[in-house]
Amino acid sequence: MYTIVKKRGLADQITEYVVQAPVVAGAAQAGQFAVIRLHERGERIPLTLADWDAQAGTITLVVQAVGKTTVELEERFHEGDALADVVGPLGEPSEIEEYGTVVCVAGGVGIAPIHPVARALKGAGNEVICIAGARNRGLLFWLDRLSDVCDDLIITTDDGSHGRKGLVTEPLKELVEGGGVARVWAIGPAIMMKFCSLVCQAAGVPIVVSLNPIMVDGTGMCGACRVEVDGVVRFACVDGPEFRGDRVNWDLLIARLAAFKEEERCALEQFRAALKEARE
Amino acid sequence: MIRKTRVPMREQDPAARIHNFQEVPFGYTPEEAIQEAKRCLQCKNAPCIGGCPVEIDIPRFIAHIAAGDFRAAIRTIKEANTLPAICGRVCPQETQCEGVCTLGKKFEPVAIGRLERFVADWERKRGMELPPVGEPTGFRVAVVGSGPAGLACAVELRRFGHAVTVFEALHEPGGVLMYGIPEFRLPKDIVRREIATLQEMGVELVTNAVVGKAFTVDGLLADGYHAVFVGTGAGLPRFLGIPGESLIGVYSANEFLTRVNLMRAYLFPEYDTPVRVGKRVAVVGGGNVAMDAARTALRLGAEEVLVLYRRTEAEMPARREEIRHAKEEGVKFHFLVNPVRFLGEGGELTAVECLRMELGVPDESGRRRPVPIEGSEFVMPVETAVIAIGNQPHPLVPRTTPGLSVTRWGTIQADEDGATGRPGVFAGGDIVTGAATVISAMGAGKKAAQAIDRYLREKAAG
């Protein structure tokens, strides 16, 4: 039983779930993901692991309610309820080594999956600088947890309501141009990872990104998650999800993320209507 | 006087069935089955048994049907094959048992597959009998993959009395029977029923368990399993490797069929997984999977479905019955064409550019090799394309199991009993042979179970 043992709102539409999944928790490494399914009629969605506790047999998922499945999770699944399925850990773990000084950039809900990567890098002896950005203060979370696993935490918001006003790419640019940064990790919306990659590429600093294309099985079987890296088709689920950001075909990734836009909108609308009806 | 032709099996009308996912053939009635069974010559040499990869005593089960004793018929089949409702539907009988039927030399061969299906369905309605399970041996065997090879292996191991745990990566067991073969050819309730039988026999099933990730073959051996059977199949989709293949609207057959079969996208939005099908759909390939994809696309509302195959109809690997079904339903076949490029607008597929081919000299498979005709490029507008040119062995287990020898095709090297280079590790089905049939995988699973049984008993003897 994949029981939700803890559910906690972190920010606007962003919720933390601690879920019983001992198999996943026992084998998880930074950078890997799990695929979940809510119920018998549910779709399979990939979520990068935000944390895990092998002893307790739990994993932590941080989910932004944006589509039918994530909104349903938020609205209908509470502490004590169980998810139908959790499978993982999937994908290759992050390549954690002692690089020297590394920068971990997180955009929005990407703060959650960058956390174990920063922790692992720190544990390997790196000097870790984190940059966490969001549109506004209300969308930031886990800043305490992040500062626990890095040497320096830079915060940005688009509207200046917390930290520096502006995008994560600005402090990133200063850091990589300033020299001494051996490697950068970036996790967040595709467009943010694309611009982080451009910044790093210009400065000649290697950047690793965690891609989030549409997946069905997550084990290499369907090919829905194909991405182009260095001009070669790769499957994000088994070859990734992390790739060198300067080598990713971003436009293709961004286009493919919208493959089912119309269907996703229709499913969400129907679900919201059903929710409203149930409440009235 | 023997009927020259087989008793026909009634089917859903093509015009009606392209609007639903219900099974196409209705199956024989008891009267029809008896009538067909009486065509069997009961020949002494029974070539049909040799034609069956699991060696069902075919004349004996048919004799029971002819006598109206359906219970005895199903028992006979189940001595050799515990999944007859599946095999009766998806086996290529025309190249196996029916292909060597003595009656077939002069007339139409006995409809062995239809008869197998009939008694399996009869039993499902009357109540299934559990095959006998052996006395507990104290041995535990892990079976990796719950497709045809894994299921057949698990049943056989239970019969010997070994404890069996089957590990399945997906959320539902059945492998290709669940994700690959469509509902209208193999209803999923039948697969679930057959799997429930296994569980009633004491087979333990663990879903969401990816061997090669959270579990490994060595980890299973260290955890107290005395042997491991690897039946992970050929689940890795092959693409054409041509420009435009990542446009929205281009699917691998695996993705397209998994969305529809395993995830029930045909019931979207009642089920959450969507699938998109344009007005004009091109399916690339000539095998059963291509036929399944084409017929699925029709049922999802496509106005026109084109099968693009680089050889001619004679070389198509698909079963004749599937080709006939596809044609009846209005699928259009374009032979001797090969896609060279997908074209799109705004990231979405709009057309496929193809080359015309001609047949040259035979290749290593004995089929004449298609050769492109220079300058014959032409463009066909399509909104959806499904690539059904075959699957490769799944690399996860070979990659994470030291000491297994892997061929250059990615298959695991195993002898005819499924023994690999590692003592206690056996393999069978598509992971050993490359993509093949359900029944050959079942045959391999069963053979491996017998070899595992010998291995364990020898081990116990010291």
Side-chain angles (χ1 to χ4, degrees):
Chain A
M1 286 286 276
Y2 308 103
T3 308
I4 299 169
V5 295
K6 196 175 116 190
K7 177 180 177 180
R8 189 162 73 98
L10 295 179
D12 190 23
Q13 305 293 313
I14 298 175
T15 306
E16 173 185 337
Y17 301 86
V18 179
V19 181
Q20 253 169 14
V23 167
V24 187
Q29 294 181 63
Q32 293 185 300
F33 65 97
V35 164
I36 68 160
R37 199 171 69 115
L38 299 188
H39 48 64
E40 288 309 306
R41 282 166 289 106
E43 61 180 338
R44 295 169 64 97
I45 61 161
L47 293 167
T48 308
L49 296 169
D51 206 353
W52 52 91
D53 182 337
Q55 245 103 54
T58 59
I59 58 169
T60 302
L61 304 169
V62 173
V63 184
Q64 189 166 20
V66 286
K68 194 260 172 180
T69 297
T70 49
V71 170
E72 185 174 9
L73 177 63
E74 166 72 32
E75 296 285 342
R76 294 232 171 113
F77 287 76
H78 307 290
E79 283 179 11
D81 293 340
L83 308 179
D85 298 286
V86 177
V87 57
L90 300 171
E92 290 294 313
S94 308
E95 281 177 32
I96 304 295
E97 289 173 30
E98 191 179 343
Y99 297 103
T101 300
V102 293
V103 179
C104 291
V105 192
V109 75
I111 292 171
I114 206 92
H115 164 259
V117 176
R119 182 174 58 193
L121 286 166
K122 181 80 189 140
N126 294 284
E127 187 200 4
V128 180
I129 303 169
C130 281
I131 305 173
R135 284 203 309 278
N136 58 58
R137 173 184 199 113
L139 292 169
L140 288 164
F141 61 93
W142 274 20
L143 297 179
D144 51 337
R145 292 187 69 164
L146 212 49
S147 59
D148 284 349
V149 296
C150 69
D151 298 279
D152 194 9
L153 172 63
I154 302 166
I155 295 160
T156 69
T157 50
D158 294 6
D159 63 358
S161 55
H162 194 48
R164 231 173 114 162
K165 183 176 195 291
L167 302 171
V168 288
T169 41
E170 290 159 27
L172 175 64
K173 190 163 188 269
E174 292 160 16
L175 285 167
V176 293
E177 282 178 356
V181 173
R183 215 173 178 85
V184 173
W185 254 265
I187 308 183
I191 192 78
M192 169 230 145
M193 293 192 286
K194 174 184 174 175
F195 281 98
C196 288
S197 298
L198 292 174
V199 164
C200 290
Q201 199 173 357
V205 176
I207 175 168
V208 177
V209 295
S210 178
L211 301 186
N212 56 341
I214 294 172
M215 291 184 187
V216 183
D217 66 293
T219 63
M221 218 187 74
C222 80
C225 68
R226 55 198 191 276
V227 292
E228 214 178 277
V229 183
D230 261 337
V232 179
V233 173
R234 311 289 298 274
F235 289 180
C237 67
V238 286
D239 301 322
E242 293 190 350
F243 293 100
R244 283 288 297 272
D246 47 331
R247 297 172 188 173
V248 169
N249 180 341
W250 291 102
D251 296 340
L252 182 69
L253 175 82
I254 291 167
R256 285 186 64 82
L257 280 168
F260 294 96
K261 210 170 160 186
E262 196 45 44
E263 289 77 8
E264 286 163 5
R265 193 190 53 75
C266 147
L268 181 58
E269 262 175 25
Q270 278 210 1
F271 180 70
R272 285 206 195 278
L275 262 185
K276 208 174 152 208
E277 204 173 298
R279 278 186 189 140
E280 275 163 6
Chain B
M1 185 60 192
I2 287 174
R3 251 185 89 111
K4 291 179 181 169
T5 57
R6 40 176 65 191
V7 175
M9 182 160 59
R10 288 158 304 114
E11 294 179 341
Q12 268 201 80
D13 182 61
R17 72 190 191 222
I18 59 165
H19 300 295
N20 68 56
F21 275 81
Q22 283 149 33
E23 199 176 5
V24 169
F26 292 121
Y28 279 157
T29 61
E31 297 71 34
E32 287 166 342
I34 292 170
Q35 201 188 348
E36 179 63 24
K38 285 182 174 159
R39 295 181 65 231
C40 176
L41 300 172
Q42 294 291 323
C43 30
K44 280 213 179 72
N45 59 343
C48 50
I49 299 177
C52 173
V54 293
E55 297 180 330
I56 296 172
D57 190 341
I58 293 167
R60 186 152 61 90
F61 100 75
I62 292 182
H64 286 308
I65 296 178
D69 189 349
F70 305 141
R71 182 63 74 185
I74 189 68
R75 280 184 192 145
T76 305
I77 293 175
K78 285 204 164 174
E79 285 167 18
N81 176 11
T82 24
L83 305 161
I86 294 169
C87 296
R89 286 172 166 82
V90 302
C91 269
Q93 291 99 3
E94 62 278 11
T95 61
Q96 299 178 347
C97 53
E98 294 176 12
V100 292
C101 172
T102 311
L103 190 64
K105 287 180 187 157
K106 279 184 85 173
F107 307 131
E108 282 185 4
V110 178
I112 301 167
R114 294 175 183 179
L115 292 172
E116 179 182 31
R117 171 198 160 115
F118 164 77
V119 280
D121 289 354
W122 177 88
E123 190 203 24
R124 209 170 52 255
K125 282 183 216 127
R126 295 306 144 97
M128 310 262 277
E129 261 182 6
L130 281 192
V133 172
E135 286 297 309
T137 59
F139 287 112
R140 296 170 68 208
V141 183
V143 170
V144 184
S146 67
L151 294 178
C153 184
V155 169
E156 200 69 6
L157 288 167
R158 279 305 291 147
R159 288 184 164 189
F160 291 128
H162 307 305
V164 183
T165 309
V166 179
F167 294 85
E168 167 56 45
L170 289 169
H171 56 264
E172 227 183 322
V176 73
L177 306 171
M178 287 307 289
Y179 73 75
I181 303 176
E183 178 79 18
F184 55 83
R185 211 148 71 75
L186 178 64
K188 301 307 150 216
D189 277 348
I190 291 176
V191 182
R192 286 205 196 90
R193 189 68 204 90
E194 301 272 18
I195 288 167
T197 305
L198 256 66
Q199 286 175 294
E200 285 157 22
M201 288 173 73
V203 172
E204 196 195 338
L205 269 168
V206 186
T207 52
N208 297 324
V210 184
V211 177
K213 285 287 171 191
F215 302 89
T216 59
V217 168
D218 286 283
L220 293 170
L221 290 169
D223 274 352
Y225 288 99
H226 300 94
V228 177
F229 173 76
V230 180
T232 45
L236 206 70
R238 279 173 59 194
F239 284 93
L240 293 157
I242 61 175
E245 211 162 16
S246 292
L247 286 164
I248 297 169
V250 182
Y251 295 96
S252 72
N254 266 10
E255 179 187 355
F256 187 68
L257 293 171
T258 299
R259 283 180 180 276
V260 178
N261 300 333
L262 180 73
M263 306 308 296
R264 314 278 198 288
Y266 65 97
L267 298 171
F268 177 86
E270 189 194 326
Y271 280 71
D272 290 341
T273 305
V275 68
R276 263 175 70 184
V277 165
K279 285 184 183 160
R280 218 160 178 247
V281 178
V283 176
V284 183
N288 288 322
V289 176
M291 299 303 102
D292 286 346
R295 299 172 67 199
T296 297
L298 274 180
R299 284 160 173 77
L300 291 170
E303 286 171 13
E304 202 178 3
V305 178
L306 321 164
V307 166
L308 311 181
Y309 181 53
R310 60 194 184 125
R311 305 184 206 235
T312 72
E313 184 166 351
E315 288 83 22
M316 275 178 79
R319 294 183 63 194
R320 297 299 111 180
E321 188 187 336
E322 301 311 324
I323 300 171
R324 171 177 68 81
H325 277 144
K327 282 185 175 169
E328 285 170 2
E329 291 171 8
V331 171
K332 291 177 185 160
F333 289 81
H334 293 251
F335 295 111
L336 294 167
V337 295
N338 201 27
V340 287
R341 187 154 66 114
F342 291 107
L343 306 166
E345 267 173 46
E348 304 217 7
L349 178 70
T350 55
V352 55
E353 184 180 316
C354 299
L355 262 180
R356 295 208 183 276
M357 314 292 277
E358 57 191 355
L359 291 182
V361 293
D363 63 12
E364 62 266 32
S365 74
R367 295 180 300 177
R368 290 175 66 193
R369 188 193 299 274
V371 185
I373 303 173
E374 232 175 283
S376 65
E377 290 89 347
F378 64 102
V379 171
M380 301 169 95
V382 293
E383 286 125 17
T384 305
V386 182
I387 315 296
I389 55 166
N391 285 331
Q392 291 164 310
H394 205 291
L396 260 182
V397 170
R399 219 187 261 171
T400 54
T401 313
L404 277 191
S405 8
V406 179
T407 67
R408 67 186 167 101
W409 299 279
T411 53
I412 295 176
Q413 233 156 19
D415 69 17
E416 55 177 30
D417 287 334
T420 68
R422 293 262 317 256
V425 181
F426 296 76
D430 286 4
I431 189 67
V432 170
T433 57
T437 61
V438 167
I439 189 67
S440 67
M442 286 184 185
K446 184 177 166 183
K447 257 195 159 168
Q450 291 159 354
I452 290 170
D453 181 62
R454 286 195 299 274
Y455 165 82
L456 294 174
R457 286 179 202 279
E458 277 164 26
K459 207 171 142 174

